[in-house]
Amino acid sequence: MAPYASDDSTTAGEVDEQRSGRRKAARYVVPVTVMGVAAATIGLVPALADSGDPDLPKITAQQLIEKIAKSDVQQLSGTVKISTDLGLPDLGGLESSLMSGAASPDQGGSSADPTAKLTELASGTHTLRVAADGPDKQKLSLLENAAEYSIIHNGKDVWGYDSKSNEVYHGTASDSPERGKDQQPPATPKDFAEEALKAVDDTTSVTVDGTAQVAGRDAYKLVVKPKQSGSTVGAVTVAVDAKTGMPLKFTLTPASGGAAVVDAGFTQVSFAKPAASTFDFTPPKGAKVTEEKDAGKGSDKDFGKDFGKGFEKGGPREHAPKAGEDLGKGLDGMKTIGEGWNSIATFDTGGEGMPSGKAGGAGGDLGGFVNSLGDKVTGKFGSGTVFSTRLVNALITDDGKVYVGMVTKDALVKAADAGK
C-alpha cells in the first residue's frame, strides 16, 4: 500500500517523489504566531464556502498533495475566523482563569504577553487578521470587542500589544534557521493541513472530493481519513487554492459525528504584497512596556523564536511518531505504541495516579473534583481514570501510568492491558 493511499494508483517512483514533496512542504507560508496553546485545535465557523462549486481541471490526490508541497506563497494578507469545539468539561470559567493567570498584572505578568494572551484561541469563536511578507515580516491581530491584540514581527523585533490595557511586550526574534520548528501549534488552514499531512501513511485514505470556493477563490477539496477503527478522527478536509496550492480552509470532523472539532478558514485573502507600514510598530504614548528578558522567562531570544516558521527553504518535515519511538526529550521514558492515527503516547509518572476522592479534607475534595471530570475504568492493568474530549483522550492509571492519543476510551484501556 502506498504511503498516500487514495483512489489513484501510485507507483514506487511516485511515492519517492511524494516523500520529496513532503520535505519541501516546509516552504509553506505561515502567517506567524507564537501561540502558547498546547496541541491547539482551532476552528472556523463552518459556512465559509461560497455558493456554487467551480469547474476545475481534474487532479489526483497525489498531484494535489504535490501542489500543496510546492506552494511558495511568501506574501499575503487576510482574515481568518476560528472557533473550537473540543467538548472540554465545564469548569465554570476556571480554565480561562488558569490560562490567563500567567500574564495577569496581579501576578507580575503583562497582558500583552502572547504566551498567555493567545491561549484564548483554545476555546470559543474568534476573528484573526493576518499578514506576511517573507520570513522577517509577519503580523497577527486578534480582534476583540472594542479592542485588539497584535503580534508584530519586523526584522529582529517582535512586539505584542494589548490595546485594552495599553500594554506592550517586546522580544527579539531568533537568528536560528530552526526557529519555530515544531514549537508553535497551528493557527491558519495551512498550519493545520501541514500537521494533518504529517500523519498520512499507509493507514490513511487520501482522495479528492470535488471543488469549492473559499474567500472568493477556486479550490480543490482534499479528504484525509483514517482507515483504522479506534481513532477519534473521522475525516480531515482541506480546501486547496487551485492557483497557488495554499490551503484556504481546514475542517476536522470527529468519528463520533456532530459539529466539526476544527474548522478553520479564510473569509478574505489577498496574495498581494502588504504595505510596509503594516509591520511598523512604536509603543503608544503612556503604554507600559515589558521586555522579555526582564519578565522572568529566560533568554530574550525565547519570545520571538517561533516567528517565520515555514518560510525557511528546504527544511525537512518531521514524520508522525512511529511505534516504539522514544519521545522522552521532555518526559523521561515517553514512547509511542500503535501505528498511524491509532498511535498512543505513554509514559510512567512514577507517582500514584490521580488523587482519591475517598480521602477526607482538601485532598478528598480535590480527588472528588478530578474524578468528576473523568470516567473510572478497570482492566487487566488495574483501574484508572479516562479524561475525554471530542478529539484527544487520556488514561491515567492508579499506579501512575499515562496513555494519551486521538483514540477512543476502549483503545486506551486495551493499550494499558497490553502493557501488563
Side-chain angles (χ1 to χ4, degrees), residues 107-278:
Q107 302 297 322
S110 169
S111 66
D113 181 350
T115 304
K117 182 64 179 180
L118 291 181
T119 58
E120 294 177 12
L121 296 178
S123 63
T125 299
H126 305 274
T127 299
L128 295 176
R129 192 160 51 225
V130 298
D133 185 6
D136 295 320
K137 292 183 178 182
Q138 302 100 33
K139 181 177 181 179
L140 178 147
S141 295
L142 170 60
L143 307 183
E144 303 171 314
N145 291 332
E148 180 175 316
Y149 176 79
S150 295
I151 304 175
I152 306 100
H153 171 213
N154 192 340
K156 296 290 186 180
D157 291 311
V158 182
W159 301 92
Y161 176 58
D162 184 357
S163 68
K164 185 175 182 179
S165 63
N166 198 28
E167 292 195 27
V168 175
Y169 202 78
H170 178 238
T172 305
S174 171
D175 293 326
S176 169
E178 295 295 306
R179 66 186 177 209
K181 182 179 179 181
D182 295 330
Q183 296 297 314
Q184 68 180 37
T188 68
K190 186 222 72 71
D191 299 330
F192 285 111
E194 182 180 35
E195 293 303 312
L197 290 178
K198 287 180 183 179
V200 171
D201 56 17
D202 58 5
T203 68
T204 311
S205 167
V206 184
T207 59
V208 178
D209 185 24
T211 62
Q213 202 170 70
V214 178
R217 297 187 65 88
D218 293 346
Y220 293 100
K221 293 192 295 184
L222 184 71
V223 178
V224 178
K225 293 182 178 180
K227 290 182 178 180
Q228 307 160 301
S229 62
S231 174
T232 55
V233 176
V236 168
T237 302
V238 182
V240 183
D241 186 60
K243 184 174 181 180
T244 67
M246 177 177 161
L248 298 175
K249 189 174 188 287
F250 175 98
T251 305
L252 187 157
T253 54
S256 59
V261 174
V262 179
D263 192 6
F266 284 93
T267 57
Q268 180 276 327
V269 66
S270 169
F271 297 112
K273 181 182 177 71
S277 59
T278 302

Side-chain angles (χ1 to χ4, degrees), residues 1-4 10-21 62:
M1 183 62 65
Y4 294 88
T10 307
T11 67
E14 290 171 331
V15 170
D16 289 337
E17 291 178 2
Q18 221 166 287
R19 288 171 177 162
S20 175
Q62 177 184 322

Side-chain angles (χ1 to χ4, degrees), residues 3-139:
Y4 294 88
S6 72
D7 54 354
D8 313 305
S9 60
T10 307
T11 67
E14 290 171 331
V15 170
D16 289 337
E17 291 178 2
Q18 221 166 287
R19 288 171 177 162
S20 175
R22 292 180 69 195
R23 288 193 296 269
K24 293 177 182 177
R27 305 196 319 173
Y28 295 171
V29 66
V30 181
V32 62
T33 73
V34 236
M35 301 208 170
V37 187
T41 47
I42 301 173
L44 165 67
V45 181
L48 290 183
D50 300 335
S51 60
D53 296 335
D55 184 14
L56 297 173
K58 296 294 184 181
I59 190 170
T60 67
Q62 177 184 322
Q63 289 170 336
L64 190 52
I65 290 172
E66 291 172 349
K67 189 177 185 69
I68 297 172
K70 293 175 182 177
S71 179
D72 192 22
V73 175
Q74 291 286 306
Q75 293 149 345
L76 67 78
S77 59
T79 303
V80 178
K81 280 195 173 181
I82 63 177
S83 64
T84 306
D85 188 5
L86 283 173
L88 295 171
D90 183 4
L91 303 181
L94 175 61
E95 70 280 14
S96 297
S97 298
L98 291 174
M99 287 191 296
S100 61
S104 170
D106 294 338
Q107 302 297 322
S110 169
S111 66
D113 181 350
T115 304
K117 182 64 179 180
L118 291 181
T119 58
E120 294 177 12
L121 296 178
S123 63
T125 299
H126 305 274
T127 299
L128 295 176
R129 192 160 51 225
V130 298
D133 185 6
D136 295 320
K137 292 183 178 182
Q138 302 100 33
K139 181 177 181 179

Side-chain angles (χ1 to χ4, degrees), residues 182-389:
D182 295 330
Q183 296 297 314
Q184 68 180 37
T188 68
K190 186 222 72 71
D191 299 330
F192 285 111
E194 182 180 35
E195 293 303 312
L197 290 178
K198 287 180 183 179
V200 171
D201 56 17
D202 58 5
T203 68
T204 311
S205 167
V206 184
T207 59
V208 178
D209 185 24
T211 62
Q213 202 170 70
V214 178
R217 297 187 65 88
D218 293 346
Y220 293 100
K221 293 192 295 184
L222 184 71
V223 178
V224 178
K225 293 182 178 180
K227 290 182 178 180
Q228 307 160 301
S229 62
S231 174
T232 55
V233 176
V236 168
T237 302
V238 182
V240 183
D241 186 60
K243 184 174 181 180
T244 67
M246 177 177 161
L248 298 175
K249 189 174 188 287
F250 175 98
T251 305
L252 187 157
T253 54
S256 59
V261 174
V262 179
D263 192 6
F266 284 93
T267 57
Q268 180 276 327
V269 66
S270 169
F271 297 112
K273 181 182 177 71
S277 59
T278 302
F279 311 102
D280 292 340
F281 180 79
T282 300
K285 183 178 181 180
K288 175 186 174 183
V289 180
T290 301
E291 293 290 338
E292 201 281 338
K293 63 183 178 181
D294 297 328
K297 296 188 177 181
S299 168
D300 61 356
K301 292 285 187 182
D302 293 341
F303 172 52
K305 67 182 180 181
D306 293 333
F307 282 96
K309 178 187 176 187
F311 286 91
E312 299 84 358
K313 302 291 185 178
R317 284 187 67 181
E318 296 295 323
H319 62 72
K322 303 299 181 182
E325 182 176 356
D326 187 354
L327 301 178
K329 292 180 179 179
L331 289 167
D332 290 341
M334 181 182 285
K335 293 185 180 298
T336 298
I337 57 178
E339 294 288 347
W341 298 86
N342 282 10
S343 61
I344 297 171
T346 180
F347 60 94
D348 191 340
T349 66
E352 298 180 357
M354 301 305 300
S356 172
K358 297 179 181 180
D365 292 341
L366 175 60
F369 173 71
V370 170
N371 288 337
S372 71
L373 301 179
D375 298 321
K376 294 297 291 185
V377 294
T378 59
K380 295 178 182 178
F381 66 89
S383 61
T385 305
V386 173
F387 300 91
S388 301
T389 71

